[in-house]
Amino acid sequence: MPLSQGFRTLLVCALLMLAAQGASAAGLEARLDRNQMGEGEVVQLMLRTDRQSSGNPDLSPLQQDFEIVNRGQSSRFEFSNGNARSWREWQIALVPKRTGELTIPSINVGTLSSEPVELKVLPAGQTTQSNDPSKPVMLEVESTPHEPYVQGKVVYSVRLLLKTPLRRANLTDPQVADAIVERLGDERRYETYRNGQNYRVIERRYAIFPQRSGTLEIAPPVLSARVPLPNQQGNSVRDRVFGGRDPFAQFDQFFGKSPFSDMGSAFEQTRPIRLRGEMQTLNVLPQPAGTPTPWLPAESVTLNEAWSPNPPEFRVGEPVTRSIAITAQGVTAAQLPDLSPQAGQGVTVYPDKPQTETRADGDTLIAQKIVKSALVPSKSGKLSLPPVELKWWDVNNNTLRVAQLPGRDIDVLPGAAGETQTIDEAQAGSVSPQAAAAPTTAPAVANDTDTVPSGDGNNATASQSADWRSGYWPWIALLFAVAWAVSMFLWWRSRRDNAGAGGSLSQAATAKPSAMSSSAGLLKQVEKACQANDAKATRQALLTWAAAVWSDDPPQGLETLAQRLPPPAKPVLEELNRNLYAGEAARWDGPAAWQVLASLLRDQAEKGTRRSGDSALPPLYAN
């Protein structure tokens, strides 16, 4: 028995010595401020050593399961009773990347290493503090509907619920691939009750327009901020100075816009927080079979018209301005199609550049496109203007609808000379839109079938008018001939100067459209390729058009072109590029792409010559 007891004593001593040697070998203590937490919260890891060591902790083992949001270090030295003691400490703020049982792995600092530490991360809403009235901050997201149509609107709401002011706060925007994201108005600020507690709410709303059908994931926003630590004594410096009131509460702009936010934090200690909203997954429905292109999924669409002069009075050769306004709810102006109203036989139409606008109205967007055109009658009598129709998809009732302006019968009066006249259609077509837009009286042109009575003063007047007109056009023709000759001479001299200065044009330069190329004609080629669903031809037509618009610095690929066009064009060009290089060009939806690009390209063509010298961001990679 004594032998057995002595053996036990020796065994215990040996184990204690081994444990002491193990602790000595480790030399680095690791601990957490808590061993259980909720998803999206921040946990503090402290590393401490009283041994001499060089360097900083190797935190790479943490990156598999954690995101490092902050780090710091401190050193302390004490001298007591003739003994000196010093140690170093590192503080690392971590956000777990997943829920469940996680392990803080062994961390090395030089030759020292720490022991692993266990951490339990509970899903959001299952923490013991989820209903705790002391929980200071909550982040909520919501999207509706969950099954939108492609290019239809999704309202995405982000709500931040606060019981305490935030310091150095930053909230990211939601991230969505293959979608257009628009902010809906300004932030909303109000108060609400949750679990019997009063919260201040800051709400942001977005309109998201998916550009492809299928599953769509919305990466949630992330809030990074610091919150004041609870004062156990209830007697902080701020409380003593300001009597318990937060003097900066009224200035607290949680997005960091207030210059007083850092001053407020000087009165209190804070800890970091990092909250992430829930991932939202949508099922995007495709365009219903049999529906027309262009595809317009909207909440409402109306057509209205206005005339100038009002009421309109139609005379041969005189323009009347017609304005047609498309007003749609739940879409952007870039989604509104182009209207080309026809006027029928006997009236020539000269359209003007459309005017577009998109504005937020509550939880939706209001888009408007106004198309103005000059109508010039070419003959007198009764004429008919056909109705104007626009087909659209009602997303609220899942049905096809038609917005319509009724047709009208008009009486066209003779020209200002009081004669019954007609204008040859080819001659009417030669009138420029600018000239048609000006409400001036065009000179009367007699019909070939008109007869002039002889033997009175009226005959003399008509003869003089005819003689004047017969002598007028040769002079016009001569003027154009001289202008053409001068232009050819200047062109020939320019070619000669270029040849003498530097030789012939390079092959790349000859590939550009000539100065006589029409931007409108090139746009027709883009439209034709899109409507034919030919992805390769669309890419070539787009780059040819872009070379005409930016002749001094033509974009070399679709990505460069996307950087120079308004933001709605980017996802469309990315989709085209992706399908081309993935060998899936047959799956590309050309008509839907043209619906988005049409107005953007026309607007850019108008100002392209003025901006041809502007510098653009270099492409990330060559297409």
Side-chain angles (χ1 to χ4, degrees):
M1 185 67 180
L3 180 62
S4 177
Q5 185 176 2
F7 178 75
R8 290 195 190 94
T9 302
L10 290 174
L11 182 60
V12 170
C13 291
L15 291 175
L16 291 175
M17 292 177 62
L18 289 174
Q21 290 178 357
S24 175
L28 185 65
E29 177 189 3
R31 60 185 177 87
L32 298 172
D33 64 345
R34 49 186 164 157
N35 295 103
Q36 179 172 302
M37 61 179 296
E39 181 183 9
E41 297 179 358
V42 178
V43 64
Q44 292 281 354
L45 170 65
M46 276 75 72
L47 300 174
R48 184 174 180 177
T49 180
D50 58 0
R51 293 172 173 264
Q52 295 295 329
S53 61
S54 60
N56 291 312
D58 178 13
L59 303 180
S60 57
L62 295 170
Q63 296 177 355
Q64 179 177 352
D65 291 328
F66 298 90
E67 181 180 353
I68 301 172
V69 297
N70 198 8
R71 67 186 73 185
Q73 66 172 326
S74 59
S75 299
R76 295 188 61 180
F77 178 82
E78 287 185 357
F79 187 83
S80 177
N81 298 325
N83 296 321
R85 183 186 178 191
S86 64
W87 62 85
R88 297 176 66 190
E89 185 175 82
W90 292 267
Q91 304 87 25
I92 301 101
L94 304 174
V95 174
K97 295 181 179 179
R98 59 184 178 88
T99 60
E101 301 284 347
L102 304 184
T103 299
I104 304 291
S106 177
I107 306 296
N108 296 326
V109 179
T111 59
L112 306 179
S113 60
S114 66
E115 295 293 331
V117 182
E118 300 300 322
L119 175 66
K120 186 175 183 179
V121 182
L122 300 176
Q126 296 184 15
T127 62
T128 57
Q129 297 180 351
S130 60
N131 295 321
D132 188 348
S134 64
K135 192 171 185 180
V137 183
M138 293 189 292
L139 182 62
E140 299 178 347
V141 297
E142 181 183 9
S143 58
T144 183
H146 289 286
E147 290 191 343
Y149 283 97
V150 62
Q151 298 184 9
K153 186 197 67 176
V154 176
V155 176
Y156 185 85
S157 301
V158 181
R159 286 184 290 271
L160 187 64
L161 287 79
L162 304 171
K163 285 192 63 179
T164 184
L166 296 182
R167 309 302 184 195
R168 298 184 228 166
N170 179 65
L171 181 66
T172 64
D173 291 326
Q175 301 296 318
V176 196
D178 300 319
I180 298 174
V181 181
E182 299 274 355
R183 279 284 295 271
L184 287 175
D186 298 328
E187 299 161 3
R188 293 179 175 178
R189 295 172 182 263
Y190 54 93
E191 293 187 356
T192 188
Y193 282 89
R194 297 292 174 85
N195 303 320
Q197 299 296 315
N198 187 33
Y199 285 87
R200 290 189 301 120
V201 181
I202 301 175
E203 182 178 9
R204 283 181 178 178
R205 291 162 301 127
Y206 302 83
I208 299 177
F209 298 90
Q211 298 300 298
R212 62 171 178 82
S213 59
T215 301
L216 182 71
E217 291 187 342
I218 305 177
V222 177
L223 171 70
S224 301
R226 301 187 71 88
V227 297
L229 290 174
N231 181 20
Q232 303 297 331
Q233 303 299 324
N235 191 25
S236 66
V237 174
R238 184 187 60 193
D239 291 338
R240 292 196 300 268
V241 175
F242 295 100
R245 294 183 299 105
D246 182 0
F248 304 101
Q250 299 301 321
F251 300 97
D252 180 38
Q253 305 292 330
F254 101 101
F255 291 109
K257 299 177 182 178
S258 171
F260 302 101
S261 58
D262 291 335
M263 294 177 60
S265 61
F267 291 99
E268 59 200 348
Q269 292 183 333
T270 60
R271 65 177 178 87
I273 62 169
R274 188 177 178 88
L275 301 180
R276 185 187 303 271
E278 295 182 3
M279 177 75 73
Q280 299 284 300
T281 302
L282 307 179
N283 179 30
V284 182
L285 304 177
Q287 178 179 348
T291 54
T293 299
W295 161 248
L296 183 61
E299 298 168 6
S300 68
V301 176
T302 58
L303 293 180
N304 295 283
E305 67 177 2
W307 296 88
S308 178
N310 188 24
E313 182 180 85
F314 294 89
R315 289 184 178 274
V316 173
E318 297 184 11
V320 176
T321 301
R322 184 187 196 185
S323 301
I324 299 178
I326 311 172
T327 305
Q329 184 174 337
V331 295
T332 64
Q335 295 176 262
L336 297 180
D338 291 329
L339 282 181
S340 300
Q342 302 298 317
Q345 294 293 328
V347 179
T348 306
V349 180
Y350 302 97
D352 199 358
K353 176 185 175 182
Q355 301 174 3
T356 59
E357 177 190 14
T358 303
R359 67 181 186 275
D361 185 8
D363 288 336
T364 191
L365 292 175
I366 303 296
Q368 188 174 75
K369 175 181 283 189
I370 299 177
V371 181
K372 291 185 177 182
S373 54
L375 280 63
V376 182
S378 57
K379 62 180 180 179
S380 61
K382 288 189 176 294
L383 299 178
S384 295
L385 298 180
V388 179
E389 294 184 350
L390 174 59
K391 296 181 180 180
W392 61 282
W393 184 262
D394 186 344
V395 296
N396 293 326
N397 299 288
N398 293 328
T399 186
L400 183 66
R401 299 190 183 277
V402 180
Q404 186 180 68
L405 290 176
R408 61 163 63 197
D409 295 328
I410 60 175
D411 292 324
V412 181
L413 303 176
E419 303 171 356
T420 302
Q421 312 156 359
T422 60
I423 297 180
D424 183 81
E425 294 292 338
Q427 180 180 335
S430 66
V431 182
S432 67
Q434 293 81 0
T440 57
T441 302
V445 180
N447 291 333
D448 293 337
T449 58
D450 288 349
T451 60
V452 181
S454 60
D456 55 16
N458 291 336
N459 183 29
T461 304
S463 299
Q464 293 173 2
S465 177
D467 293 341
W468 176 83
R469 285 193 292 271
S470 64
Y472 176 79
W473 292 108
W475 287 104
I476 293 293
L478 177 61
L479 178 63
F480 277 106
V482 173
W484 177 82
V486 172
S487 299
M488 291 298 296
F489 171 75
L490 295 176
W491 173 79
W492 170 79
R493 189 174 66 176
S494 175
R495 287 289 301 272
R496 183 194 63 183
D497 293 344
N498 289 340
S504 62
L505 295 173
S506 66
Q507 183 178 0
T510 57
K512 296 181 182 179
S514 67
M516 300 296 291
S517 297
S518 168
S519 177
L522 296 177
L523 271 182
K524 285 291 184 183
Q525 296 299 320
V526 177
E527 180 182 8
K528 182 179 179 181
C530 288
Q531 298 296 351
N533 220 50
D534 190 336
K536 293 182 179 179
T538 299
R539 180 184 186 276
Q540 183 60 44
L542 281 169
L543 294 180
T544 303
W545 170 85
V549 175
W550 290 280
S551 57
D552 293 339
D553 182 22
Q556 301 302 312
L558 294 181
E559 184 176 38
T560 309
L561 177 58
Q563 294 175 358
R564 303 189 187 185
L565 293 174
K570 184 176 181 181
V572 177
L573 297 182
E574 287 179 347
E575 181 71 12
L576 172 59
N577 219 19
R578 181 165 48 253
N579 288 331
L580 282 171
Y581 287 99
E584 301 178 352
R587 298 175 54 188
W588 179 64
D589 190 350
W594 174 249
Q595 180 181 350
V596 177
L597 293 175
S599 60
L600 302 178
L601 298 182
R602 289 193 179 96
D603 291 346
Q604 185 61 50
E606 292 292 332
K607 57 184 178 182
T609 54
R610 297 193 300 270
R611 301 181 57 186
S612 60
D614 293 351
S615 60
L617 293 175
L620 297 177
Y621 54 86
N623 290 335

